[in-house]
Amino acid sequence: MELAYYSDYAVRLVNTEEPVRGKDSLTSVEAVRDLFGDNQSAARRATEADVTRFRGVRARLRAVFDAADGDDETLAVDLLNSLLLEFPVSPQISGHDFRDDDGRPLWHMHLADHPSNATAGYAAIAAMGLAFHLTECGVDRLGLCEASPCRNAYLDTSTNRSRRYCSDRCATRANVAAYRARKRLAADRSDSTGLTADSAQRTSPNGDRPPGPSGR
């Protein structure tokens, strides 16, 4: 398993909160445990105290995405380095669950669970995964959804670095909003020039129909 895979831990945690909408799903120990996915041995260590601790780590991880989104590469790296220093990882070579055609282990790097508490373990894995993603792919691959008011975090894995939204749903919503804005502009122009809205729309190369999802 590539270590960059663990960057999904960071995205999952950051997206438990929607600051603009005032929504927060990280309100119970069960919500904390759900973040671990299949890693149930680590999830079972979570207690009520981890809810507050997870929120603290979440704010620091979002700050990394905020810095990257604002093109402040140095700040993003500094913030991530502070997390790596506070939550060190224990890398191990593992071959479990992976076998080649001859039945031999497919050795790969694995991040061992931190023994102290659930927050430390999760934060260590999330920070290291995000660090590998940043160094391998570039800081501009850490994004925040442009479909206001979403602002969910995402990792851009597109071939041409073109992703701008966290999901197809947000991409469609943003494009429909842009289409409606163009129609309103065309209508306003028709009012000022005496053209009908329909004729003004026909003169616009973008006014034929709402666009589908793009930019994901």
Side-chain angles (χ1 to χ4, degrees), residues 9-17 58 61-62 65 144 153:
Y9 275 59
V11 173
R12 288 203 299 269
L13 177 54
V14 169
N15 290 346
T16 59
E17 182 184 30
R58 179 181 64 188
L61 287 170
R62 176 169 282 277
F65 281 92
L144 290 173

Side-chain angles (χ1 to χ4, degrees), residues 84 87-91 111-112 114 120-121 123-129 132:
L84 292 170
F87 301 105
V89 298
S90 301
L111 299 182
H114 197 285
I125 291 173
M128 181 56 76
F132 268 92

Side-chain angles (χ1 to χ4, degrees), residues 63-151:
V64 176
F65 281 92
D66 280 333
D69 187 63
D71 295 325
D72 195 336
E73 184 171 348
T74 300
L75 177 59
V77 170
D78 287 344
L79 292 171
L80 195 48
N81 274 335
S82 69
L83 283 164
L84 292 170
L85 286 172
E86 184 173 345
F87 301 105
V89 298
S90 301
Q92 293 180 346
I93 300 174
S94 176
H96 64 84
D97 299 332
F98 296 95
R99 298 280 172 173
D100 62 17
D101 293 338
D102 296 325
R104 295 175 300 186
L106 296 176
W107 301 114
H108 59 278
M109 292 301 298
H110 173 76
L111 299 182
D113 292 334
H114 197 285
S116 60
N117 60 66
T119 302
Y122 194 99
I125 291 173
M128 181 56 76
L130 203 57
F132 268 92
H133 192 91
L134 185 151
T135 54
E136 289 183 3
C137 303
V139 70
D140 57 330
R141 294 287 190 156
L142 278 58
L144 290 173
C145 186
E146 293 185 11
S148 179
C150 177
R151 303 301 283 168

